[in-house]
Amino acid sequence: MPENIRFLTCTFGELKGGKIVEKGTQCKMARGQMVRWMAEHKIEVPEDLRGFDQLAYCFHGELSAENHYVFLKSQNDPSEPRAAINMRKHREQNMIQGRE
């Protein structure tokens, strides 16, 4: 590979038991979303990829290296629509109070 070309690997996963676990379909979706995000934000510098924060993934510098970026999925999925969150909370409250 020519010296002026940088090869960068991105890992999309979840931290479970101190290990990064990658789930195939979710990784594929995250890669596709990252490509879309790169195009929308006109990303030209590899370091700018660290700003990717879609599908509940965010960059983790402490687990990453110069040519390997690690993105972990948060436990609370911010992509869940606010209305869905409110409906779920309402159902949970009703169940606690014995209405459902």
Side-chain angles (χ1 to χ4, degrees), residues 21-65:
V21 177
E22 297 177 86
K23 296 182 180 174
T25 302
Q26 291 181 3
C27 292
K28 186 174 182 177
M29 289 172 54
R31 285 192 305 268
Q33 185 66 27
M34 179 177 265
V35 170
R36 178 179 296 113
W37 179 85
M38 290 169 59
E40 290 171 352
H41 291 86
K42 298 176 178 36
I43 301 298
E44 294 183 9
V45 179
E47 288 74 20
D48 290 345
L49 293 175
R50 298 173 184 172
F52 177 76
D53 62 352
Q54 306 286 302
L55 301 177
Y57 287 98
C58 64
F59 176 75
H60 282 261
E62 70 279 6
L63 300 172
S64 299

Side-chain angles (χ1 to χ4, degrees), residues 74-97 100:
S74 67
Q75 298 300 332
N76 298 324
D77 186 351
S79 66
E80 183 178 9
R82 177 64 50 201
I85 293 170
N86 290 339
M87 286 177 57
R88 181 173 41 79
K89 287 182 179 177
H90 181 70
R91 274 196 310 269
E92 289 169 356
Q93 287 176 338
N94 284 341
M95 288 174 66
I96 290 169
Q97 295 171 359
E100 282 188 26

